[in-house]
Amino acid sequence: MNTFAMILSVVAALVAAGLPIAEATDRLRQNRRERHEVLRNRYLHLLMLVLHTGTHEIPRFPLLRRRGAWLLLTETLAGIVAATYGLDTAQLRRIVTVHNLEKKLLRRIRLSRGYRRARHISLLASLPIDTSTTTRLARYSQSRNRAVKFQVLLSRMATEPAMTLRLIEEYEAPLSGCEMAEIMVLLRRGILPIAYEPLLRSPSPNLRRIGMGIVKQFSIEEAAHILRELAAGDPEPELSREALYTLCAMHCPLKGRQIHTGIGRLSVLQRRALMRYMVHESYSPDLLGELFGAAGHSYAEALAQTHKRTLA
């Protein structure tokens, strides 16, 4: 019993001693985050001043030799490039060169693994760099980590816009929803072409995905007839379903033999998911009754009567 009591007292003492240490550690981390945020805002101010005035002088960034400060500058630069369109990046390019941000990132990429490597490649792709830098990333295009492979693809698309469609066509894996969203960001930056019809009719499934993404992004109703064809007869069932969702997102009329054929290709669970999406997009219960039968009509009414804010 005495031994057990001694053990309990030792554990209690360790816990009591550990709590102040944990609190002090949390305070240090919070202080470090606050310092980083102040420094990030300072870097952002200096960079915006350079872009606004058009000066050719490289600003002096404070505390740049502090550990991690160069990464803060890199993230700030990448954020500016990603959030702007038609930006003259010549001055930002000089900042990248003078402070060796490319070399430092390439070193980080070489020494890191997995998603950390993918994040650093993503940062590098967002900087104003040339093709010689992305060529050095080619070795990672065969990585087992899908995030790494995809970020290498984005980096090449950013520096070789003329090769964009070929790169997407050669990308082996089907593009996921998250990957499509990142590609649409490049589209908004003017890197991707917006000629949707050749993409929708392309033999490459990934290019057809890109075409649907462009149509949905800009609500191009003129493409509705092609989407109906894809809904009824695309070789990829997943793309057939995506064509139906794209039509719904643009609030196109959902009638005709092609729509019925496309719905007939769906499983029971996929039909119910499509019904929820259609109600969310304000399609009437009567239309759902025409497409899915009496069960579709009653299901749509039940969903509408629940007054749920989100039905998808």
Side-chain angles (χ1 to χ4, degrees), residues 85-102:
Y85 174 75
L87 177 68
D88 183 5
T89 59
Q91 181 65 349
L92 299 182
R93 171 66 187 165
R94 282 193 289 272
I95 294 173
V96 170
T97 303
V98 168
H99 294 292
N100 293 320
L101 300 183
E102 283 181 44

Side-chain angles (χ1 to χ4, degrees), residues 10 24 29 32 53 59 74 101 112 131 141 157 178 210 266-267 304:
V10 170
R29 288 175 179 172
R32 184 164 58 248
T53 60
T74 303
L101 300 183
S112 57
T131 55
S141 61
M157 289 168 57
C178 292
I210 296 296
L266 303 178
S267 66

Side-chain angles (χ1 to χ4, degrees), residues 14-28:
L14 290 173
V15 171
L19 287 176
I21 295 175
E23 292 175 358
T25 303
D26 288 340
R27 283 197 299 270
L28 287 173

Side-chain angles (χ1 to χ4, degrees), residues 30-31 55 58-59 65 75 124 136 140 158 189-190 273 306:
Q30 180 65 26
N31 292 338
T55 179
I58 304 297
R65 293 188 177 183
E75 291 171 350
L124 186 63
R136 300 177 65 178
Y140 304 113
R189 288 169 54 189
T306 59

Side-chain angles (χ1 to χ4, degrees), residues 166-183:
R166 179 179 173 184
L167 292 171
I168 294 174
E169 187 175 6
E170 293 175 350
Y171 189 68
E172 298 176 356
L175 293 170
S176 67
C178 292
E179 291 169 344
M180 282 291 300
E182 291 198 54
I183 290 177

